[in-house]
Amino acid sequence: MQGAARARPRAASAYAVVVSVALLGLLVWTLLPGRPLLARHAVSDAAFVLAPALAAWQCLRAARDPGAARRVWLLLGAASVAWALGSVAWAVDELVLGRLAPFPSVAHAFYLAYPVLALLGLLALPRLPSARASRARLVLDGVVVAASFLVIAWIGTLGNLARAEGQPVAEALALAFPVLDVLTAAVVVVVLDRVRGGWRHPGSLAALGVAGVAMTDGLYAALAGAGAYTTGGPLDVAWPLSFALIAVAARRPATAGPDLSRVSHRLLPWLPAAVAAATLVASGRLLHGLDPVLAALTLTLAGSLVARQQLLASENAVLHVSLEEKVRERTEELLQSRDRERRRARTDSLTGLPNREALTEQLTAAVAAVRPGHLLGVVLLDLDGFKQVNDGFGHDAGDVLLQAAAGRLRSAVRDDAVLARMGGDEFAVLLPDLRTPADVEAVARRLVAALAPPLLVGPLEVVLGASAGTAVAETSDVIGVHLLRDADTAMYAAKESGNGVTAFAPGMHVAVRESLELEADLRVALREGQLQVHYQPVVDLAADRVAGFEALARWTHPLRGAVSPADFVPAAERSGLVVELERLVLDIACAQLATWRRTSPGLTVAVNVSARHLRERDYLDTVLSALVRHGLPPSALVLEVTESLLFHDDDHVREVLERLHTAGIGLALDDFGTGYSSLSRLASYPFDTLKIDRAFVASLDADPSAPVLVATVALARGLGMSVVAEGVETEAQLDFLRAQGCEHAQGYLLSRPGPAALVAGVIGRSLLPVPRSASDVPVVGS
């Protein structure tokens, strides 16, 4: 369809060129001197037949396309056929019968049908106004223009022609032709003014062609009446030219141009009326009396103008009311749209809860409304472990989790409370009209408890904790954002302490600031290489040799000095830097082990890994890449996971551990004995080694029988796991562990942790002590 649409303008242009050349040839021929009379009649008659026949053919072709313009081309095609048939009858009289066509004749009947059909075709143009009022105004404009043209023509020639004596039929027919020509001209003027699309629109071209036929016919009548018409003269080119214009219009695609707004819509009916009035005054007919026809035309003209003005006034009134209604409707739409946008801007799109902006506004109003004896409470709550779920299972799972958490929280607050999502996994609750700070803490604990049961994420059950901070305003002098800041500080303290709920207290800001500064310094330390790795030997008690080392991160700050792992490791976990930290330790430890194994092939290295790092999707690739990069077999690496991991039945972590175990990497459960639910789940994880926490070992000093320690070693042996005792500091502890069948130990009694260069000397040496105290143990290699 698009190709055809592009081809039609080119075809129409070529057609116009051919027609123009033919018409130019006809015009040149008419200007040649000495042409025989018969030849002039023959050429003119042929042009009068062929040109309308060609126009009829093109119009009927255009009428085959369905659409609103089909009726236009059918009527214009029928009009062209009528003219062609009239020209055939005229030619038969002239060329075959050798006579001038009588008046009236068959030819005149066909010629008379042409303007009637052409006028109907123009009035059927689909680009004319479609509204009822616009149609009525168009008709009145047509009546005004037609009446104006008829007044001018009646004063000029039509009146004399009507008063001529002769046969009634001939007189009526003679009068019908110029009257129809005048009406055609009037309709063409109105149509050309109203057709949308400009002069290039096919309707405009067709109207010009119809006007050309009417004007040429009128000029012919004037010349013939004066005896000045010559057959085969230049005037005979005007008829074929007009029909050629209709044919070209039928070949153009109906692609309207811009909808032009012209001032002529307002001037059109008045300008012809003014010319008619001026002609009427100049003729002196008003002084000597009007004949009935002229009087009727004048009254029609005046009445149409008055009716048009009344219609225009009515239209303007309706338009004014319509515009007022549309302005009112549009104003309401804009107000509703603004309200929707405000609600949307103040609502969290995921949970449907108020967002931070909305809560801040309501908090400001609530603080101002605090009454004596009442207080305003704020609870700020953060989901523990949400980021690991979000990173491990994707943002879609995280969104489902947040929606489920929002539903739990919504059901746990009273109706007058305001629950909002502050962003990420952080929620806030505004509690008005409370009596004591204890009421705020009670609500906070109820919220934390609501999130304790597992949350469903598809087929998975996810167990999340929550940390909440509370703050209260007892007077209206408090600034709302400061209240939120205090609750956030308390929440941060709750997360650090693990208490679940913490109320804000003066001095907390200092601790939070110090913690944030520590996290910032740690970020710089990782970037600038301030962290080192120390190693503590793990001793094989039966062989009395170093079986491997545990890699431990150490940090010496340029200003703080040595920073304890008990401080910077939790900071790394809170900030998410623990992943980067553990990758650094893994890479350094593997590189160092590769160096040691050149002379001691059996050594291993143990590296701590957090649950957060295990939930990273690329963790397995990270570990395997480090082994390949440093040329180590999987059995050379032991990954130590803390017992707290067993509290969360995480299928993803379990799968990663299974794949690590299948790859041949050693897995150790670190700090065993610090939890309370690990025994029931221990057998379901693929651990090779159980590391007994130093607290268990230290308990030997108070209870030498240590039944729990004995049971733990027996449990590990029953599960086929080797046992490593941590924190061995006395010979009594060492002797007890050896007696229970503990295979490996590490602690200050055997060797303190140290840099690689310092501890390298213990490789291949005996570290089991002769009787001595722990205080006498130096750093190995010193």
Side-chain angles (χ1 to χ4, degrees):
M1 292 296 292
Q2 290 179 350
R6 287 194 295 267
R8 286 189 65 184
R10 291 197 293 269
S13 300
Y15 180 83
V17 170
V18 172
V19 171
S20 299
V21 171
L23 290 172
L24 181 61
L26 179 62
L27 178 61
V28 170
W29 186 87
T30 60
L31 296 176
L32 293 176
R35 291 165 296 134
L37 178 62
L38 183 60
R40 295 202 307 270
H41 280 283
V43 171
S44 295
D45 290 343
F48 291 170
V49 172
L50 293 177
L54 188 61
W57 175 48
Q58 295 300 330
C59 288
L60 294 177
R61 280 188 62 189
R64 290 185 300 181
D65 294 336
R70 185 171 184 270
R71 187 171 56 172
V72 176
W73 298 121
L74 282 174
L75 290 169
L76 290 180
S80 299
V81 168
W83 186 279
L85 292 176
S87 297
V88 168
W90 187 283
V92 169
D93 280 331
E94 282 192 335
L95 300 178
V96 178
L97 301 179
R99 65 177 185 178
L100 292 177
F103 187 81
S105 66
V106 175
H108 292 96
F110 283 119
Y111 285 147
L112 192 62
Y114 164 79
V116 175
L117 293 171
L119 284 175
L120 293 175
L122 292 179
L123 292 175
L125 280 170
R127 289 288 175 177
L128 293 176
S130 57
R132 180 179 300 177
S134 298
R135 283 280 187 180
R137 192 167 67 251
L138 174 65
V139 171
L140 288 174
D141 286 350
V143 171
V144 170
V145 174
S148 300
F149 283 8
L150 287 173
V151 166
I152 298 170
W154 189 269
I155 294 174
T157 58
L158 286 182
N160 296 332
L161 186 61
R163 287 188 291 271
E165 296 182 359
Q167 295 181 2
V169 176
E171 289 179 6
L173 191 61
L175 187 62
F177 278 106
V179 169
L180 286 174
D181 289 338
V182 171
L183 291 177
T184 300
V187 170
V188 167
V189 169
V190 175
V191 166
L192 288 178
D193 184 69
R194 298 301 175 91
V195 169
R196 297 168 184 164
W199 297 100
R200 293 178 296 174
H201 191 276
S204 299
L205 294 177
L208 289 174
V210 172
V213 174
M215 292 173 63
T216 305
D217 199 49
L219 185 59
Y220 162 76
L223 292 175
Y229 171 73
T230 302
T231 301
L235 183 63
D236 289 358
V237 180
W239 276 292
L241 176 61
S242 300
F243 282 107
L245 193 57
I246 295 174
V248 171
R251 293 182 64 87
R252 287 187 63 83
T255 52
D259 186 5
L260 303 177
S261 297
R262 294 185 293 270
V263 72
S264 55
H265 289 335
R266 296 187 295 272
L267 298 181
L268 176 64
W270 295 103
L271 187 59
V275 174
T279 303
L280 191 61
V281 172
S283 67
R285 299 292 182 93
L286 294 175
L287 298 177
H288 301 90
L290 301 176
D291 58 75
V293 174
L294 191 57
L297 290 174
T298 304
L299 289 175
T300 300
L301 176 59
S304 299
L305 287 173
V306 172
R308 185 186 186 278
Q309 287 306 106
Q310 290 179 344
L311 178 63
L312 190 60
S314 176
E315 280 186 52
N316 289 337
V318 172
L319 179 61
H320 181 71
V321 173
S322 176
L323 286 176
E324 285 187 342
E325 180 65 20
K326 286 183 178 181
V327 169
R328 186 185 62 79
E329 292 177 356
R330 183 57 179 160
T331 301
E332 290 182 359
E333 289 178 3
L334 290 175
L335 291 175
Q336 293 174 0
S337 176
R338 186 185 66 180
D339 291 341
R340 285 194 300 270
E341 290 299 323
R342 286 191 63 189
R343 287 194 297 271
R344 188 179 296 116
R346 294 158 48 86
T347 303
D348 175 57
S349 59
L350 179 64
T351 62
L353 298 175
N355 58 15
R356 177 184 292 271
E357 179 183 353
L359 181 78
T360 303
E361 290 182 6
Q362 295 187 56
L363 178 60
T364 301
V367 168
V370 172
R371 297 174 296 166
H374 295 73
L375 55 84
L376 174 69
V378 171
V379 178
L380 209 61
L381 182 140
D382 182 81
L383 304 182
D384 296 334
F386 170 77
K387 189 176 190 309
Q388 290 88 332
V389 175
N390 205 38
D391 294 342
F393 297 99
H395 292 288
D396 290 341
D399 290 347
V400 173
L401 192 61
L402 287 172
Q403 290 171 337
R408 293 270 188 91
L409 296 174
R410 191 182 289 112
S411 63
V413 296
R414 64 192 195 189
D415 293 339
D416 63 341
V418 179
L419 173 64
R421 182 186 173 205
M422 304 298 283
D425 60 339
E426 191 173 273
F427 296 86
V429 181
L430 180 63
L431 302 166
D433 291 332
L434 298 179
R435 295 293 183 179
T436 66
D439 296 337
V440 185
E441 292 187 36
V443 173
R445 295 192 184 281
R446 189 163 64 245
L447 293 171
V448 172
L451 295 174
L455 292 164
L456 288 178
V457 180
L460 301 176
E461 281 192 356
V462 178
V463 178
L464 286 181
S467 300
T470 66
V472 296
E474 299 180 358
T475 67
S476 59
D477 297 333
V478 178
I479 299 176
V481 291
H482 291 176
L483 197 62
L484 277 177
R485 180 198 61 191
D486 294 345
D488 185 64
T489 300
M491 181 192 70
Y492 194 88
K495 191 176 287 289
E496 277 208 342
S497 64
N499 289 335
V501 176
T502 299
F504 174 77
M508 281 187 175
H509 290 308
V510 176
V512 171
R513 185 173 62 252
E514 290 177 352
S515 180
L516 292 175
E517 290 174 353
L518 181 63
E519 291 179 11
D521 289 347
L522 179 58
R523 198 178 303 276
V524 174
L526 288 168
R527 186 173 62 247
E528 297 182 354
Q530 296 178 9
L531 282 97
Q532 307 90 35
V533 176
H534 286 194
Y535 302 88
Q536 185 172 33
V538 178
V539 179
D540 184 333
L541 297 181
D544 189 15
R545 64 178 178 84
V546 176
F549 295 89
E550 180 180 1
L552 303 168
R554 294 294 183 264
W555 178 20
T556 302
H557 190 276
L559 299 178
R560 297 173 183 262
V563 182
S564 171
D567 293 329
F568 73 79
V569 171
E573 291 177 346
R574 286 193 305 270
S575 61
L577 295 173
V578 69
V579 173
E580 184 179 351
L581 173 62
E582 290 177 350
R583 286 179 178 176
L584 175 67
V585 172
L586 174 66
D587 189 68
I588 294 175
C590 286
Q592 182 59 55
L593 181 63
T595 301
W596 285 334
R597 284 175 67 93
R598 294 192 186 102
T599 55
S600 302
L603 290 177
T604 63
V605 68
V607 177
N608 290 280
V609 57
S610 63
R612 177 172 189 155
H613 200 177
L614 278 173
R615 292 189 181 100
E616 293 287 323
R617 292 187 177 274
D618 62 345
Y619 179 70
L620 182 62
D621 294 335
T622 300
V623 173
L624 296 178
S625 297
L627 293 173
V628 171
R629 186 165 55 252
H630 298 292
L632 294 174
S635 58
L637 178 65
V638 178
L639 298 175
E640 296 188 359
V641 181
T642 59
E643 185 191 7
S644 60
L645 177 72
L646 274 62
F647 292 156
H648 304 286
D649 196 7
D650 193 323
D651 291 339
H652 177 72
V653 170
R654 189 190 305 274
E655 180 184 355
V656 172
L657 292 176
E658 291 284 357
R659 295 176 66 184
L660 289 167
H661 179 73
T662 302
I665 297 170
L667 298 176
L669 183 62
D670 196 15
D671 297 337
F672 184 80
T674 59
Y676 302 95
S677 61
S678 58
L679 292 178
S680 62
R681 298 180 180 176
L682 179 59
S684 66
Y685 284 85
F687 290 111
D688 309 297
T689 302
L690 190 67
K691 299 192 73 173
I692 301 175
D693 187 68
R694 65 180 63 249
F696 266 3
V697 175
S699 67
L700 287 170
D701 297 336
D703 184 3
S705 63
V708 177
L709 184 58
V710 172
T712 301
V713 174
L715 172 67
R717 295 175 65 85
L719 293 174
M721 301 169 63
S722 63
V723 179
V724 177
E726 295 183 296
V728 178
E729 296 184 353
T730 67
E731 294 180 14
Q733 294 171 352
L734 181 62
D735 293 339
F736 181 87
L737 292 169
R738 293 176 69 182
Q740 298 304 317
C742 182
E743 295 97 336
H744 299 87
Q746 63 184 99
Y748 284 2
L749 177 66
L750 305 174
S751 176
R752 294 175 181 270
L758 194 61
V759 301
V762 305
I763 299 175
R765 288 176 48 188
S766 171
L767 294 181
L768 293 182
V770 295
R772 53 183 175 172
S773 65
S775 60
D776 295 332
V777 177
V779 175
V780 175
S782 60

